[in-house]
Amino acid sequence: MMSSQTLSLTPSDQSSLLFLRCVAIIKVMVCHGLETYTLRYASWFYTGAILFLVISGFLYGRKPVPDPKTYAIGRLQRVGIPYWTFLVFLLPFYLYCSDISPLNVCSSFALTACGLRKGFEQLPGMNHLWFIAAIVACYISIPLLQRFRGRGLKTVLAGYLLFAIDIFVLDGRYYWFPLYVTAYFMGNLPRTSLRQAFAITSVLTLLTLVNLSYLPIHLRYHLLRSLFPLLLTLLTIRLFEDFHLTRLPNFLAYLSLISFPLYLVHNPLMMGPCSLATLTTSPALNMIFIIGLSLLSAVVLHLLSQRLTQWLGRK
């Protein structure tokens, strides 16, 4: 039986999730920046996009979806409007700068607009858009997941079981989905059980680290990059609660607000035909310029998306 219970987010919970969004987008940009110049340690920051998935799962685990239609429209507006607006404005630059034929660019953008991997894989600098298809699939699953609300730690353990099946049977091909499921059910836990989930996640992470040398390399990678975002999320929520941190500095709050537009716009400026990575002979100066332009573009995209959402709401 589905529980309609809404577990309220305390001010410290809200601040911790906003802070985690900032951590996630910074890790994503550092990762892609290091990859741009083929520098070491890029793989240390691969967990940024996964952290976004965990934050989303936890947040939606905190509240039921009473009306699927309203929920679907809201998700479509929140993700679709910035995403499609971003693609529309980026298309002319790819047509002008890319070596790919205009017909192939247009067809790839059309496929990308539908969230299909075949589209963005053909567009250099757009590989980060795998996240869009993943988060939409997770959103679609929420009306089904909420049927199991209110069943405590059993659902979290079921999420971990799905995760283990994907890791050890499917070689981690779909790791992001059971990870989202696990985060969703963690979000539905009361405070006491949430601390138990933190203890379970800590033990699983410790066991993974202890047995690291006995695991195949690809399994080490999938396990650690998935467990660490879960552990970081639970730890941050706990610390914000314990230290009564209920307010972020304004610049962090705003960075969290524009984190999704910033995720969309930054990568084409680093890689692909529109890259500014070789604008000058100084990689550091180039990256400063890229970050500044990414922030400006994200603010513009955020404001434009807000206007479009308001306009569509009046229709």
Side-chain angles (χ1 to χ4, degrees), residues 92-299:
F93 292 96
Y94 267 73
L95 286 171
Y96 179 77
C97 299
S98 178
D99 294 332
I100 307 172
S101 71
L103 181 60
N104 286 339
V105 169
C106 290
S107 63
S108 296
F109 263 76
L111 292 172
T112 301
C114 299
L116 298 177
R117 181 178 293 272
K118 188 176 180 181
F120 57 76
E121 281 184 344
Q122 298 176 21
L123 298 169
M126 302 282 266
N127 57 300
H128 67 306
L129 296 183
W130 69 269
F131 177 81
I132 303 300
I135 194 65
V136 169
C138 292
Y139 284 157
I140 291 171
S141 73
I142 287 178
L144 175 62
L145 293 177
Q146 73 173 356
R147 294 178 179 273
F148 302 95
R149 291 172 62 87
R151 299 190 183 184
L153 280 171
K154 291 183 293 185
T155 52
V156 174
L157 295 175
Y160 271 127
L161 177 60
L162 287 175
F163 178 68
I165 291 172
D166 178 75
I167 290 292
F168 293 105
V169 178
L170 302 176
D171 287 332
R173 188 176 303 172
Y174 306 105
Y175 72 94
W176 47 268
F177 182 70
L179 190 64
Y180 191 91
V181 171
T182 305
Y184 177 88
F185 288 129
M186 284 181 176
N188 191 229
L189 294 176
R191 193 65 58 175
T192 303
S193 297
L194 193 61
R195 292 173 181 173
Q196 294 172 342
F198 175 71
I200 292 171
T201 306
S202 300
V203 170
L204 289 173
T205 305
L206 182 61
L207 286 173
T208 301
L209 290 171
V210 169
N211 294 283
L212 209 58
S213 59
Y214 301 102
L215 295 170
I217 293 177
H218 68 286
L219 291 186
R220 299 179 201 175
Y221 172 71
H222 285 308
L223 281 167
L224 291 178
R225 77 170 181 177
S226 301
L227 288 170
F228 277 143
L230 280 170
L231 192 62
L232 177 62
T233 299
L234 294 173
L235 178 62
T236 303
I237 290 170
R238 178 71 182 272
L239 289 175
F240 270 65
E241 178 188 14
D242 289 347
F243 289 97
H244 307 290
L245 302 175
T246 59
R247 185 178 176 83
L248 288 182
N250 289 337
F251 76 94
L252 285 180
Y254 194 74
L255 179 61
S256 173
L257 183 66
I258 64 169
S259 59
F260 180 55
L262 185 55
Y263 181 88
L264 292 174
V265 303
H266 79 280
N267 207 41
L269 294 173
M270 294 184 179
M271 307 177 194
C274 302
S275 171
L276 301 176
T278 57
L279 186 65
T280 72
T281 56
S282 169
L285 187 60
N286 295 339
M287 197 51 62
I288 290 172
F289 186 77
I290 288 171
I291 292 171
L293 186 57
S294 296
L295 288 168
L296 178 61
S297 301
V299 171

Side-chain angles (χ1 to χ4, degrees), residues 4-76:
S4 60
Q5 179 188 16
T6 299
L7 300 173
S8 61
L9 286 167
T10 66
S12 65
D13 288 340
Q14 293 172 351
S15 295
S16 65
L17 294 176
L18 292 177
F19 174 76
L20 284 166
R21 282 201 189 105
C22 296
V23 173
I25 190 59
I26 290 171
K27 291 183 74 173
V28 167
M29 294 185 69
V30 170
C31 173
H32 291 160
L34 293 173
E35 285 183 337
T36 297
Y37 294 105
T38 60
L39 299 175
R40 297 173 60 191
Y41 308 119
S43 60
W44 290 20
F45 299 91
Y46 279 165
T47 56
I50 302 166
L51 183 55
F52 275 124
L53 286 171
V54 171
I55 295 166
S56 174
F58 186 90
L59 184 60
Y60 279 99
R62 226 63 186 160
K63 53 187 178 182
V65 176
D67 179 14
K69 181 180 178 181
T70 302
Y71 163 78
I73 292 173
R75 293 305 86 207
L76 182 64

